[in-house]
């Protein structure tokens, strides 16, 4: 069996479990229960790259710079070891980032194909009444544009927990090194970031509301145009039939 079919069957089984369970079924829960192993591997790579490598690089760089002080106690051999550790960490960072991005896009592609299969299966089972209430452009938009978000989610999903954890660790290290002065810059970042996020979501919601209102206002005009085209087509067919009889 092809891997795409296997992923589709896995997601379909979890989706049926969500539908059979109590409460409202959640597609997000079904996706994470289906692909939790893939997301777990990506999370492990994130720990190695963001928590271990990214924090170790400036620490070794600081120890290496201490060698160039006049009253330093760092030996020449230790300085070479620190420099070698920095080079090795840079090489490991390149490898881990490459594997993380590759795995993220592969996992996003798996989720995208499985979700497209579920949507297609649901579209085939819709009744005529439901098909009349559902715009064809909405289904096409789901299969062509919306599912592409899974690729972006796979790349930035683990930043939701790794970034705050990394900020806390860096804040503790700054406080131990230079005291309260090192926390001032981080406090400013923590204040500005929620404000920017709230403004972004507000602008996004405003644009979405305006687009929805524009689409609702344009829908009657479009229906009238379609009705006029159908009427003209009927008149043309009637005229052609009269010409054929004559």
């Amino acid at each position: 069996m092809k891997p795409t079919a296997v992923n589709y069957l896995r997601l379909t089984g979890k989706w049926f479990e969500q539908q059979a369970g109590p409460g409202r079924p959640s597609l997000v829960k079904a996706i994470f229960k289906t692909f939790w192993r893939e997301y777990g591997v990506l999370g492990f790579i994130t720990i190695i790259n963001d928590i271990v490598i990214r924090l170790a690089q400036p620490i070794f760089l600081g120890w290496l710079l201490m060698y160039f002080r006049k009253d330093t106690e760092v030996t020449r051999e230790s300085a070479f070891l620190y420099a070698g550790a920095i080079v090795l960490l840079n090489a490991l960072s390149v490898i881990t980032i490459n594997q993380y991005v590759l795995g993220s896009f592969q996992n996003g592609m798996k989720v995208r194909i499985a979700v497209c299969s579920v949507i297609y299966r649901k579209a085939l089972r819709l009744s005529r009444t439901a098909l009349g209430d559902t715009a064809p452009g909405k289904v096409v938009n789901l299969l062509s544009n919306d599912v592409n978000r899974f690729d972006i989610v796979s790349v930035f999903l683990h930043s939701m927990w790794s970034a705050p954890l990394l900020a806390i660790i860096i804040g503790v290290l700054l406080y131990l090194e230079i005291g309260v002065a090192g926390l001032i810059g981080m406090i400013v970042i923590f204040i500005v970031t929620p404000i920017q996020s709230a403004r972004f979501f507000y602008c996004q919601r405003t644009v979405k509301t305006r687009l929805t209102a524009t689409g609702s206002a344009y829908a009657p005009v479009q229906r009238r145009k379609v009705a006029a085209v159908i009427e003209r087509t009927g008149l043309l067919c009637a005229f052609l039939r009269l010409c054929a009889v004559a």
Side-chain angles (χ1 to χ4, degrees):
M1 187 178 294
K2 295 182 179 180
T4 54
V6 174
N7 295 326
Y8 161 68
L9 294 176
R10 290 168 58 194
L11 181 59
T12 304
K14 297 300 181 181
W15 175 243
F16 286 158
E17 291 179 4
Q18 288 292 319
Q19 290 180 328
R24 185 177 180 180
S26 175
L27 180 61
V28 176
K29 293 181 180 179
I31 290 174
F32 277 99
K33 288 182 179 179
T34 305
F35 300 97
W36 65 271
R37 294 183 182 85
E38 290 83 350
Y39 285 118
V41 172
L42 294 177
F44 179 73
I45 298 176
T46 301
I47 293 175
I48 295 176
N49 186 42
D50 292 348
I51 307 301
V52 178
I53 297 178
R54 187 171 295 182
L55 285 177
Q57 285 178 339
I59 293 176
F60 280 108
L61 180 60
W63 291 346
L64 178 61
L65 293 177
M66 291 178 61
Y67 172 73
F68 297 97
R69 291 182 178 180
K70 293 182 179 180
D71 55 346
T72 182
E73 297 180 357
V74 179
T75 61
R76 184 182 181 89
E77 290 77 11
S78 299
F80 278 116
L81 290 176
Y82 298 153
I86 294 174
V87 174
L88 180 61
L89 289 174
N90 285 327
L92 291 176
S93 177
V94 172
I95 296 174
T96 54
I97 291 176
N98 178 67
Q99 294 299 316
Y100 178 78
V101 174
L102 178 62
S104 298
F105 279 107
Q106 286 180 345
N107 189 39
M109 181 179 61
K110 292 179 182 179
V111 177
R112 185 175 71 247
I113 294 174
V115 172
C116 287
S117 301
V118 173
I119 295 174
Y120 180 73
R121 182 178 181 274
K122 180 64 176 178
L124 294 177
R125 295 167 61 90
L126 290 176
S127 62
R128 292 186 177 181
T129 305
L131 286 174
D133 297 336
T134 304
K138 184 180 293 185
V139 179
V140 174
N141 189 38
L142 284 174
L143 295 176
S144 60
N145 295 327
D146 294 344
V147 293
N148 293 328
R149 306 300 180 186
F150 289 111
D151 296 334
I152 303 176
V153 168
S154 298
V155 175
F156 297 103
L157 175 65
H158 294 288
S159 298
M160 297 177 63
W161 61 266
S162 64
L165 180 60
L166 187 63
I168 293 173
I169 297 175
I170 292 176
V172 172
L173 294 177
L174 286 175
Y175 180 77
L176 295 177
E177 289 292 331
I178 58 178
V180 182
L183 300 179
I184 296 177
M186 298 193 65
I187 292 175
V188 173
I189 293 175
F190 281 117
I191 293 175
V192 173
T193 301
I195 297 175
Q196 291 180 342
S197 301
R199 183 175 178 82
F200 171 76
F201 286 115
Y202 173 76
C203 294
Q204 189 178 21
R205 183 178 300 176
T206 303
V207 171
K208 185 177 181 180
T209 304
R210 292 179 180 178
L211 290 176
T212 304
T214 303
S216 301
Y218 182 72
V221 178
Q222 188 177 10
R223 285 196 293 267
R224 287 196 295 268
K225 287 183 178 180
V226 172
V229 171
I230 294 174
E231 183 180 0
R232 292 176 183 176
T233 304
L235 293 175
L236 181 60
C237 291
F239 177 75
L240 292 176
R241 285 196 297 267
L242 290 175
C243 293
V245 172

